[in-house]
Amino acid sequence: MSLCSVCYEQHKMADPILLGLIVFSMMTVGQTNVPKYKLINGREMPAIALGTYLGHDKSGMVRSVNKQLRDVVMQAIDVGYRHFDTAEIYGTEEELGEGVRRKMEEGAVRREELFITDKLWNTHHKREQVVPSLRESLSKMGLSYIDLFLMHWPMGLHEDYTHSDVDFMETWLGLEDAVRLGLARNIGVSNFNKQQLERILREGSIRPAALQIEVHPQIIQTELVQLAQRHQLVVMGYSPFGSLVTRYGLTFPGPTIDDPTLVAIARRHHKTTPQVVLRWLVDRNVVPVTKTVSPSRLKENIDIFDFELSAREIEIINKFDEKTRYTLPSFWQTHAYYPFEKVDNPSADPFIKH
């Protein structure tokens, strides 16, 4: 059965409203078939993205050296990626733009075949700041528009990172301005909780097209994913590997790349355990936002559209859920619009900015 058929059958059994989110076309690049999701305004989003956040270390945000990121973007286009995710705070917009422009100049890809997601940072939450911020990002990328513009977090901050009381609905009006000006084809939100997303849906004039949240086997986010999909938002999942990969040079508790349960599923499908986890997201109609600078990993991560997990296998992976967040900026938890559960010992780490 094709992926399109599988998605249709899953949606048909789950909720007729979700039919607007079925994968409706296949994009063939070389030997890679990448499905696309239909967004609420009829545009299309490829079903896997390459993220450009390079992480952080003890010195702060990791930066690309010797145009490494530009070259990775170009390699990614060669192996079939058409969806790229960046953000103002990542410091990667310029090299992402350079990479995609070079491939366009080569004739390898047209702008309309690419889907670029960018995010507004917290220090630009006043309505009058939103469009100028996006214009600056577009200037860095050398592009005239982006395909999806997300509010990175619901919390506004002043330039000195003290809390701003700007209502995120004011910020949303700025994102709507970007659509009306033709600078963003779609808008959405990132790191919003259920109540915050419901407010955007209730009070906004332009409906959000997508929600980007942390999703991996240790935080499966069933309720929030289903809410978004009921309202025809495409859900994007960042940090898709969870504990399968090291973070900040450390290994965290949870399933590892050689977990016996995941290995058994992978062997049945002649795939690797990371591919199984990415496919688990795809089978839940979540777009994985993967990250790698390795050419071999680029190919491995996108080679997930020629097999399907059974409902039983999906349930087995769901059982890893411990509601573990790796992006938990608890140093912001006293903010009025902080979206997550509060902890007793908030982190002082100012670099967790996914």
Side-chain angles (χ1 to χ4, degrees):
M1 184 180 292
S2 70
L3 176 61
C4 297
S5 301
V6 170
C7 289
Y8 179 84
E9 291 301 323
Q10 288 175 343
H11 283 311
K12 184 169 67 174
M13 290 186 291
D15 189 334
I17 297 174
L18 296 182
L19 288 175
L21 280 177
I22 64 171
V23 177
F24 77 104
S25 63
M26 299 291 286
M27 175 177 65
T28 302
V29 184
Q31 299 301 312
T32 302
N33 291 321
V34 179
K36 292 181 178 181
Y37 286 93
K38 188 172 183 178
L39 301 175
I40 197 165
N41 64 358
R43 298 185 185 276
E44 305 173 16
M45 178 195 290
I48 188 169
L50 178 67
T52 61
Y53 175 59
L54 298 178
H56 73 275
D57 56 25
K58 293 180 180 178
S59 301
M61 194 77 69
V62 175
R63 303 294 181 180
S64 175
V65 177
N66 297 325
K67 301 289 186 177
Q68 180 189 38
L69 179 63
R70 178 202 65 189
D71 294 343
V72 167
V73 168
M74 295 175 68
Q75 292 164 2
I77 289 173
D78 287 341
V79 300
Y81 290 84
R82 295 295 181 265
H83 185 179
F84 296 91
D85 177 271
T86 186
E88 177 187 350
I89 195 64
Y90 298 168
T92 58
E93 292 168 323
E94 187 172 349
E95 287 195 31
L96 169 59
E98 186 177 354
V100 299
R101 291 198 316 274
R102 283 198 175 195
K103 296 309 289 187
M104 288 190 289
E105 290 165 2
E106 290 177 8
V109 67
R110 301 188 307 275
R111 175 63 184 94
E112 56 268 27
E113 295 174 316
L114 296 171
F115 193 98
I116 309 295
T117 296
D118 205 347
K119 308 183 196 76
L120 176 78
W121 188 236
N122 305 16
T123 53
H124 298 132
H125 268 218
K126 292 181 180 179
R127 182 176 183 176
E128 63 269 20
Q129 293 177 310
V130 176
V131 166
S133 176
L134 177 54
R135 288 190 189 277
E136 183 175 349
S137 292
L138 288 169
S139 177
K140 289 177 183 176
M141 289 185 283
L143 301 176
S144 60
Y145 70 90
I146 56 169
D147 300 275
L148 176 62
F149 191 34
L150 301 176
M151 194 187 317
H152 205 150
W153 292 89
M155 303 94 67
L157 301 173
H158 297 296
E159 288 297 329
D160 64 0
Y161 273 52
T162 57
H163 295 180
S164 164
D165 61 0
V166 175
D167 189 329
F168 61 77
M169 286 309 306
E170 176 184 335
T171 314
W172 185 253
L173 294 176
L175 270 70
E176 293 182 348
D177 293 338
V179 173
R180 296 186 181 103
L181 290 169
L183 302 175
R185 299 289 172 87
N186 302 274
I187 52 177
V189 293
S190 176
N191 297 306
F192 272 49
N193 63 30
K194 178 177 179 289
Q195 292 74 27
Q196 292 165 338
L197 177 59
E198 288 174 332
R199 187 176 173 213
I200 291 282
L201 289 165
R202 186 172 61 248
E203 298 180 19
S205 297
I206 297 177
R207 291 175 62 81
L211 169 69
Q212 185 173 135
I213 53 176
E214 181 176 357
V215 187
H216 49 75
Q218 290 165 282
I219 184 164
I220 66 176
Q221 303 259 42
T222 300
E223 183 179 6
L224 186 52
V225 168
Q226 290 180 348
L227 169 69
Q229 291 176 344
R230 280 199 303 273
H231 288 278
Q232 295 181 281
L233 280 77
V234 173
V235 179
M236 301 169 65
Y238 69 77
S239 297
F241 296 122
S243 60
L244 266 65
V245 297
T246 60
R247 298 174 184 281
Y248 326 119
L250 302 173
T251 300
F252 287 82
T256 58
I257 201 165
D258 58 355
D259 178 88
T261 299
L262 295 177
V263 168
I265 296 173
R267 284 176 175 167
R268 280 197 293 274
H269 296 282
H270 307 287
K271 294 291 182 178
T272 66
T273 51
Q275 287 173 318
V276 163
V277 169
L278 292 178
R279 182 67 211 198
W280 166 79
L281 285 164
V282 168
D283 283 336
R284 297 179 63 211
N285 298 307
V286 175
V287 175
V289 181
T290 62
K291 292 189 299 183
T292 185
V293 295
S294 163
S296 63
R297 293 295 186 191
L298 282 174
K299 294 178 182 178
E300 178 182 338
N301 290 345
I302 203 171
D303 185 22
I304 58 171
F305 298 108
D306 60 351
F307 76 108
E308 305 151 11
L309 298 181
S310 68
R312 174 60 179 156
E313 288 169 330
I314 293 171
E315 281 302 312
I316 289 171
I317 297 173
N318 286 349
K319 290 180 180 178
F320 285 114
D321 185 26
E322 296 177 339
K323 297 179 174 57
T324 299
R325 297 186 189 275
Y326 291 106
T327 298
L328 185 67
S330 55
F331 44 84
W332 286 331
Q333 70 179 20
T334 58
H335 196 291
Y337 297 122
Y338 183 70
F340 303 147
E341 59 282 355
K342 295 183 179 181
V343 297
D344 293 333
N345 298 303
S347 169
D349 187 346
F351 299 115
I352 303 176
K353 301 184 180 189
H354 201 297

